[in-house]
Amino acid sequence: MSPTDYPPELSKQEEVYLLSNLKDWSIAHGLAVRPAPSFVQPSQDPSGVLASTAPVTLFPSLFPRSCFDEGLSIQNAYNELYSAIARDESWLKSIVEELVHVDDFVAKLWQTHLEVKKEGYVQDLSLGLFRSDYMVHQDPSQSNSSPGLKQVEFNTIASSFGGLSSQVSALHKYLLTIDAYPNSTSSIIKHEALRQSQSASSLAKGLAAAHKAYGASRTKRPLCVLFVVQDPERNVFDQRHLEYALLEESGVRAFRLPFGETLSHTQLDTDRTLVYTPPNSPSKSYEVTTIYFRAGYSPDDYSKDEDWHARVQLEKSRAIKCPSVLTQLAGCKKVQQVLATPHSPHLKRFLPDEKVASRVLKTFAPIYPLDNSEAGEEAKKLATDASSATKYVLKPQREGGGNNIYRKAIPPFLQKLPETHWPAYILMEMIEPPPLTNAILRNGELQRGGVICELGVYGVCLWRNGNGDNQKGEILENWEAGYLLRTKGDQSEEGGVAAGFGAVDSLCLVDE
Amino acid sequence: MSPTDYPPELSKQEEVYLLSNLKDWSIAHGLAVRPAPSFVQPSQDPSGVLASTAPVTLFPSLFPRSCFDEGLSIQNAYNELYSAIARDESWLKSIVEELVHVDDFVAKLWQTHLEVKKEGYVQDLSLGLFRSDYMVHQDPSQSNSSPGLKQVEFNTIASSFGGLSSQVSALHKYLLTIDAYPNSTSSIIKHEALRQSQSASSLAKGLAAAHKAYGASRTKRPLCVLFVVQDPERNVFDQRHLEYALLEESGVRAFRLPFGETLSHTQLDTDRTLVYTPPNSPSKSYEVTTIYFRAGYSPDDYSKDEDWHARVQLEKSRAIKCPSVLTQLAGCKKVQQVLATPHSPHLKRFLPDEKVASRVLKTFAPIYPLDNSEAGEEAKKLATDASSATKYVLKPQREGGGNNIYRKAIPPFLQKLPETHWPAYILMEMIEPPPLTNAILRNGELQRGGVICELGVYGVCLWRNGNGDNQKGEILENWEAGYLLRTKGDQSEEGGVAAGFGAVDSLCLVDE
């Protein structure tokens, strides 16, 4: 079988065998989500005991080995880069100042930082559980060129699917072991071509490292990690796998706190320690070492004023934030854009080693601002012209995805938007992934067709900000933490599985 | 807290905390079942991707330490006893002859044996994955007496819940670790009082031992174990956990074969080797070393003549049967009855060591035949008298449960049944368990109240039958293989969780 025929069509019996084994294995190993309301109405299962196989691909998707290796090996540099950005308040300020008038959410985050700064930060350590997302780019006009890795975005908050990713790579390995993949694929799907993602365990080790670095309790309370979450959360098992790994491998307790209930169950104590009182046992409270945000990344999470007070309280606290508000701001698209704008001077500010910087630079797709700079004026021409716009995607500066404008939809979109609001967006050259096929099981429905794959590489970084007068910032821990492959039908142009369009996947390496 | 107040009433917040953690942990760890049709209609989920938390207790149930220890330590003797019975064809014949005219299923099983015997058995090894079920008995008229363990039944085929039992004991341990049990229980629920059941791994090791003992392939095919199953099977994850442990810990491949499709996918080859051809890959067939029956234990599994042909084919084959038809017959209630009939001479036939035999004997509740023997005539008087009948349960000789007649329902039931059919039943003194309370989560509904617990102790036994002329039978492997606690509301008088009445549980040991 040649890669262009991959994956094979399955006979009815092959499909029955593969699917029945996939469905049982996934539930037996927690590769699951709570069912969508469109699949199971909440009234049918008010207590929430039902779960469904998470959206998954039937086959591991083909991925160039050189691109995968490069993605993993460059992650430490990315960790270094973003921790350096998060430590550079004055630089971040210059970026944010260009956004505050057009992006209310960025403005609010910056205000949160200023409010904390006024009182002084009491915690000098920061944790990042990052995920750098890439697509394989192969210039369609040069079919002989070797494929390269191009960054889609860099996530500094709530990088998801680290829990499920470990499970889906184990699933595909299992399906290979039990011969669920037809014989014809044996030259392609081999054990040595599959990669087990250690993301669940490795990210949990990051939380454990922060927990340990926090030191002893100042209030003589037991210590804990706090997962600040959305409620309800369909993707809860993804988060739970991290929590279980943290408990089993490092003996660290964690609690889940819905973001909207923060002020009811936490308070600041001596030396701004953060105290969490579990609602189930009001007499026993915990000192929080580390706040792991799986909420708070989107304006939707701040529906009432109280939610901003909650964020300020958490930021003010002595707990290590994963991430801090400055680290969250470092993840905004504007940062990615100024780094990736051709001839940008910024990258070397943060990555002084030229060799490292040039490797990182190679993973950038050209990104332009939509402002009055020289690059901005060029971008406006590209974006408003119906023919050139087809090579681009327009992205809002803020985190979270789900609002991108693609190709020919860009000119009419901009036409309706006052030009003063254009700087809230960046223009990015479309990455052109090589054509791939796969089959996705989602809500019990099987769909087969052209797909687009996005590689996420996780990174753990723990650093000292050095906000004190004589203290320099320094990185204490820095490691690559496994990978995620997310795959979506190529008719959809959105990325997130949680947003309802894709599936978790694992990779099958091919040599170009 | 005293054991009589156990478990405590939970506050609303305590219940929310315990249940949300229980529901997430159970799905993340495959402590799950496919939902009942009354909960999720098949038309809603035709491809079967939904699963639900298995019916479980919220708390581990209290259990006397001495009874648990005795149950575990006596299991090797029980394995020895039942393997000796299965090897003693002439003795079994005398038992079966009393049943063939009243129990068609037993007659058919015996006929299967005779049919195979005519051609000669080619496989001398037999595997038993047994489960001996007990209740704690405390004479209600003597409240100071120490509790004892009394056997409910001994399962020689399809002993279920070994997969889920490992998970539920881990669940209760997890709930303790995360303080989901209120402080008031701390003197009772302690880590040293909980027992992790190793049943999934230990039973899988039994299958691996048989697989290995089978030896090399005679047909140059790859070897496999065959799980012969019902279809559909809601309790599939229980079985899958054994299959996954078998693959991961011993590297042994297993396939699931719906019993009704046996003749389509298996055939006898050279030396009566059993060859299995997976429908998904007709060109690749396997030689079966071991047949693990999770079907075929009930008349319902034999709806057409072909099903009996299938059973004969499997029995004739060279594969090691778990269990063989004779081992299955050794598990009929009649055998339990003749062993437990007061002053029975049979036990010492199989357990010559008097000390061992007397320990086993102590776990028998008095059981009577309903035939024309002296004990039988006495039993008929007890069973037809409305007042004495309240101390008894009437059980059909055949396996599977679900058809027991209790206490005052016995006399009217017998009245309607021709006396010639009475020998199809045995009369057993009711075991009187001490009153216990627990809460059960089942299909999303929480029920709290009085419960009855049944302890199952698993046993693995691999033996040589010695059917050849000069070969003596001998036991090759014999070990206790973990435990199960099954708990049901005490208003129901049936036992099986699968039958729709109970929950899986784990035990919290208490010293009397």
Side-chain angles (χ1 to χ4, degrees):
Chain A
M1 160 166 291
S2 101
T4 52
D5 302 325
Y6 179 90
E9 294 279 350
L10 297 176
S11 71
K12 191 68 209 160
Q13 290 284 10
E14 286 170 341
E15 185 179 302
V16 165
Y17 181 71
L18 192 156
L19 280 179
S20 65
N21 281 289
L22 182 156
K23 287 181 289 187
D24 287 351
W25 193 97
S26 58
I27 295 294
H29 294 79
L31 178 50
V33 291
R34 294 291 176 198
S38 57
F39 187 19
V40 175
Q41 294 201 353
S43 62
Q44 184 184 353
D45 180 27
S47 63
V49 294
L50 289 174
S52 153
T53 292
V56 290
T57 59
L58 270 54
F59 298 87
S61 285
L62 301 185
F63 204 90
R65 186 186 299 269
S66 61
C67 292
F68 180 63
D69 290 345
E70 182 61 8
L72 293 188
S73 65
I74 210 173
Q75 186 59 35
N76 283 35
Y78 264 116
N79 293 342
E80 195 187 325
L81 171 61
Y82 275 86
S83 94
I85 294 173
R87 285 201 300 271
D88 197 335
E89 189 215 2
S90 63
W91 187 85
L92 267 178
K93 189 182 173 198
S94 70
I95 298 294
V96 168
E97 277 173 348
E98 293 188 43
L99 294 173
V100 288
H101 301 296
V102 287
D103 190 325
D104 191 47
F105 186 59
V106 166
K108 287 277 210 176
L109 288 173
W110 185 252
Q111 219 176 297
T112 301
H113 159 63
L114 292 180
E115 208 171 325
V116 181
K117 193 186 171 192
K118 211 165 54 189
E119 292 194 33
Y121 279 91
V122 291
Q123 179 54 262
D124 199 28
L125 298 171
S126 271
L127 177 69
L129 299 188
F130 298 140
R131 200 187 67 218
S132 184
D133 290 339
Y134 307 93
M135 291 203 299
V136 171
H137 177 68
Q138 192 149 29
D139 192 329
S141 58
Q142 293 175 285
S143 63
N144 286 335
S145 66
S146 55
L149 210 53
K150 293 291 176 189
Q151 190 177 52
V152 177
E153 64 176 0
F154 191 88
N155 300 283
T156 60
I157 184 167
S159 310
S160 55
F161 295 113
L164 296 188
S165 180
S166 291
Q167 303 299 77
V168 72
S169 53
L171 166 69
H172 288 152
K173 184 170 182 289
Y174 166 76
L175 292 173
L176 170 60
T177 302
I178 63 159
D179 299 319
Y181 297 130
N183 250 335
S184 60
T185 63
S186 62
S187 63
I188 297 177
I189 317 186
K190 308 173 274 204
H191 281 286
E192 61 268 30
L194 302 186
R195 283 294 175 277
Q196 173 65 40
S197 175
Q198 305 296 349
S199 44
S201 168
S202 193
L203 293 171
K205 281 191 180 68
L207 292 169
H211 179 84
K212 195 178 166 198
Y214 179 87
S217 168
R218 301 193 170 208
T219 62
K220 300 210 159 83
R221 290 185 170 88
L223 299 173
C224 76
V225 169
L226 203 57
F227 282 42
V228 174
V229 299
Q230 296 178 338
D231 184 32
E233 173 59 83
R234 287 185 47 224
N235 195 27
V236 62
F237 305 108
D238 179 49
Q239 303 173 358
R240 286 289 200 178
H241 285 302
L242 264 60
E243 183 187 329
Y244 300 146
L246 183 61
L247 183 65
E248 281 157 34
E249 296 168 22
S250 304
V252 175
R253 282 291 303 278
F255 290 93
R256 293 173 63 77
L257 171 66
F259 181 48
E261 298 174 18
T262 300
L263 295 177
S264 310
H265 305 306
T266 68
Q267 57 183 69
L268 298 182
D269 200 343
T270 323
D271 299 338
R272 281 198 255 155
T273 47
L274 183 66
V275 171
Y276 171 69
T277 306
N280 60 301
S281 79
S283 62
K284 187 175 182 186
S285 56
Y286 291 77
E287 184 171 329
V288 179
T289 64
T290 310
I291 301 166
Y292 177 43
F293 283 102
R294 291 295 292 256
Y297 55 84
S298 146
D300 301 343
D301 290 333
Y302 302 81
S303 57
K304 48 191 194 301
D305 279 351
E306 202 185 81
D307 297 320
W308 283 108
H309 298 157
R311 183 67 190 265
V312 168
Q313 171 161 309
L314 296 177
E315 290 297 319
K316 272 188 188 168
S317 80
R318 180 169 295 274
I320 299 171
K321 271 69 72 181
C322 175
S324 68
V325 70
L326 288 181
T327 308
Q328 181 175 355
L329 283 165
C332 73
K333 304 287 181 306
K334 182 77 184 170
V335 169
Q336 190 189 6
Q337 171 247 301
V338 300
L339 294 174
T341 300
H343 313 296
S344 157
H346 299 289
L347 191 59
K348 60 167 142 318
R349 176 187 180 104
F350 302 110
L351 290 178
D353 184 325
E354 263 183 51
K355 262 197 195 149
V356 173
S358 83
R359 278 178 72 188
V360 168
L361 187 62
K362 271 186 71 179
T363 63
F364 292 162
I367 304 185
Y368 301 88
L370 280 176
D371 57 18
N372 299 327
S373 67
E374 200 176 327
E377 293 301 340
E378 191 189 337
K380 287 179 189 172
K381 280 184 206 140
L382 293 166
T384 50
D385 179 273
S387 136
S388 58
T390 58
K391 285 184 71 180
Y392 290 89
V393 52
L394 192 68
K395 295 183 170 190
Q397 301 273 11
R398 64 181 166 76
E399 295 295 282
N403 296 291
N404 295 343
I405 316 294
Y406 290 91
R407 304 189 198 254
K408 64 174 194 262
I410 298 173
F413 178 83
L414 287 176
Q415 211 165 10
K416 276 188 274 173
L417 197 69
E419 200 170 329
T420 50
H421 288 200
W422 290 14
Y425 294 84
I426 55 112
L427 188 73
M428 181 172 171
E429 209 171 289
M430 282 295 286
I431 304 168
E432 306 280 359
L436 287 173
T437 302
N438 210 329
I440 289 175
L441 179 69
R442 183 175 183 88
N443 293 340
E445 280 171 52
L446 190 61
Q447 292 176 310
R448 194 189 153 92
V451 295
I452 290 174
C453 295
E454 204 170 302
L455 173 71
V457 180
Y458 295 98
V460 168
C461 195
L462 178 69
W463 68 87
R464 191 176 294 289
N465 289 302
N467 286 329
D469 292 333
N470 296 314
Q471 260 194 318
K472 265 191 82 174
E474 59 171 334
I475 287 178
L476 305 176
E477 303 280 358
N478 180 2
W479 67 78
E480 167 264 302
Y483 79 95
L484 161 74
L485 201 64
R486 255 188 319 182
T487 293
K488 56 186 178 178
D490 61 5
Q491 71 281 16
S492 138
E493 288 192 296
E494 281 303 332
V497 174
F501 296 87
V504 286
D505 194 353
S506 78
L507 44 75
C508 178
L509 296 177
V510 285
D511 297 296
E512 306 84 64
Chain B
M1 163 168 285
S2 102
T4 52
D5 302 324
Y6 179 90
E9 294 280 351
L10 297 176
S11 70
K12 192 65 209 161
Q13 290 284 9
E14 286 171 342
E15 186 180 301
V16 165
Y17 181 72
L18 192 155
L19 280 179
S20 65
N21 280 290
L22 181 155
K23 287 181 289 187
D24 288 350
W25 193 98
S26 59
I27 295 296
H29 294 81
L31 178 52
V33 292
R34 293 291 177 198
S38 57
F39 186 19
V40 175
Q41 291 200 359
S43 62
Q44 184 185 353
D45 179 27
S47 63
V49 294
L50 289 175
S52 152
T53 292
V56 290
T57 59
L58 270 54
F59 299 87
S61 285
L62 301 184
F63 204 90
R65 185 185 300 268
S66 62
C67 291
F68 180 63
D69 289 346
E70 182 63 9
L72 293 188
S73 65
I74 211 172
Q75 185 60 33
N76 283 36
Y78 264 115
N79 292 343
E80 193 186 327
L81 170 61
Y82 275 87
S83 94
I85 294 172
R87 287 200 300 271
D88 197 334
E89 188 216 2
S90 64
W91 187 83
L92 267 180
K93 188 180 174 200
S94 71
I95 297 293
V96 167
E97 275 172 350
E98 293 188 43
L99 294 172
V100 286
H101 301 297
V102 287
D103 189 326
D104 192 47
F105 186 60
V106 166
K108 287 278 211 176
L109 288 172
W110 185 253
Q111 221 176 296
T112 301
H113 158 63
L114 292 179
E115 209 172 323
V116 181
K117 192 185 173 192
K118 210 164 56 190
E119 291 194 33
Y121 278 92
V122 291
Q123 178 54 263
D124 199 28
L125 298 171
S126 271
L127 178 67
L129 299 188
F130 297 141
R131 199 187 68 220
S132 185
D133 290 339
Y134 307 93
M135 292 203 297
V136 172
H137 177 67
Q138 192 148 28
D139 192 328
S141 58
Q142 294 173 286
S143 62
N144 286 334
S145 66
S146 54
L149 210 54
K150 292 292 175 187
Q151 190 178 54
V152 177
E153 63 177 1
F154 190 89
N155 300 283
T156 60
I157 183 167
S159 309
S160 54
F161 295 111
L164 296 189
S165 180
S166 292
Q167 302 299 75
V168 73
S169 52
L171 166 69
H172 287 152
K173 184 170 180 291
Y174 166 75
L175 291 174
L176 171 59
T177 301
I178 63 159
D179 300 319
Y181 296 131
N183 251 335
S184 60
T185 64
S186 63
S187 63
I188 297 177
I189 317 186
K190 308 173 274 202
H191 281 287
E192 62 267 29
L194 303 186
R195 284 294 174 276
Q196 173 66 40
S197 176
Q198 305 295 349
S199 44
S201 168
S202 193
L203 293 170
K205 282 191 179 70
L207 292 169
H211 179 83
K212 194 177 168 198
Y214 179 87
S217 168
R218 303 193 168 207
T219 62
K220 301 208 156 89
R221 289 184 171 87
L223 300 173
C224 77
V225 169
L226 203 56
F227 282 43
V228 175
V229 299
Q230 296 179 338
D231 185 32
E233 172 60 84
R234 286 187 48 223
N235 195 27
V236 63
F237 304 107
D238 179 50
Q239 302 172 359
R240 287 288 200 179
H241 285 302
L242 263 62
E243 185 188 329
Y244 301 145
L246 183 61
L247 183 65
E248 282 157 33
E249 296 168 21
S250 304
V252 175
R253 284 290 304 278
F255 290 93
R256 293 174 64 78
L257 171 65
F259 182 49
E261 299 173 19
T262 300
L263 294 176
S264 309
H265 307 305
T266 69
Q267 57 182 67
L268 298 182
D269 199 343
T270 325
D271 300 335
R272 280 199 257 155
T273 48
L274 183 67
V275 171
Y276 170 69
T277 306
N280 60 302
S281 79
S283 63
K284 187 174 183 186
S285 56
Y286 290 77
E287 184 170 328
V288 179
T289 65
T290 310
I291 302 166
Y292 176 42
F293 283 102
R294 290 294 291 255
Y297 55 82
S298 146
D300 301 342
D301 290 332
Y302 302 82
S303 57
K304 47 193 195 298
D305 278 353
E306 202 186 81
D307 297 321
W308 283 108
H309 298 154
R311 182 67 190 261
V312 168
Q313 172 160 308
L314 296 177
E315 291 296 319
K316 270 187 188 168
S317 81
R318 182 168 294 274
I320 298 171
K321 270 69 71 183
C322 176
S324 68
V325 70
L326 287 181
T327 308
Q328 181 175 355
L329 283 164
C332 73
K333 305 288 179 305
K334 181 77 185 172
V335 169
Q336 191 189 6
Q337 171 246 301
V338 300
L339 294 174
T341 300
H343 313 294
S344 155
H346 298 290
L347 191 58
K348 60 168 145 312
R349 176 186 179 106
F350 302 110
L351 290 179
D353 183 325
E354 262 182 53
K355 261 197 195 151
V356 172
S358 83
R359 276 177 73 189
V360 168
L361 186 63
K362 271 186 73 178
T363 65
F364 292 161
I367 303 184
Y368 300 88
L370 280 175
D371 58 16
N372 300 327
S373 68
E374 200 176 326
E377 293 301 340
E378 191 189 337
K380 288 178 189 173
K381 277 184 209 144
L382 293 166
T384 51
D385 179 274
S387 136
S388 59
T390 59
K391 285 185 70 180
Y392 291 89
V393 52
L394 193 68
K395 296 182 171 190
Q397 302 273 10
R398 65 182 165 78
E399 294 294 283
N403 295 292
N404 296 343
I405 317 293
Y406 290 91
R407 304 188 197 255
K408 65 175 192 266
I410 298 172
F413 178 84
L414 287 175
Q415 210 165 8
K416 275 187 274 174
L417 196 72
E419 198 168 331
T420 51
H421 287 199
W422 290 14
Y425 294 84
I426 56 109
L427 189 72
M428 182 171 169
E429 209 171 288
M430 283 295 285
I431 304 169
E432 307 281 359
L436 286 174
T437 302
N438 210 329
I440 290 174
L441 179 70
R442 184 177 183 86
N443 292 341
E445 281 172 50
L446 190 61
Q447 293 176 311
R448 194 189 153 93
V451 295
I452 290 173
C453 295
E454 206 171 300
L455 173 72
V457 179
Y458 295 98
V460 168
C461 196
L462 178 69
W463 67 89
R464 194 175 292 290
N465 288 302
N467 287 330
D469 291 335
N470 295 317
Q471 260 194 319
K472 262 190 84 176
E474 59 170 335
I475 287 177
L476 305 177
E477 303 281 359
N478 179 2
W479 68 78
E480 166 263 302
Y483 79 95
L484 162 73
L485 200 64
R486 256 190 317 183
T487 293
K488 56 185 176 176
D490 63 4
Q491 72 282 11
S492 137
E493 286 190 300
E494 281 302 331
V497 174
F501 296 87
V504 287
D505 193 355
S506 79
L507 44 75
C508 178
L509 297 177
V510 285
D511 297 296
E512 307 82 61

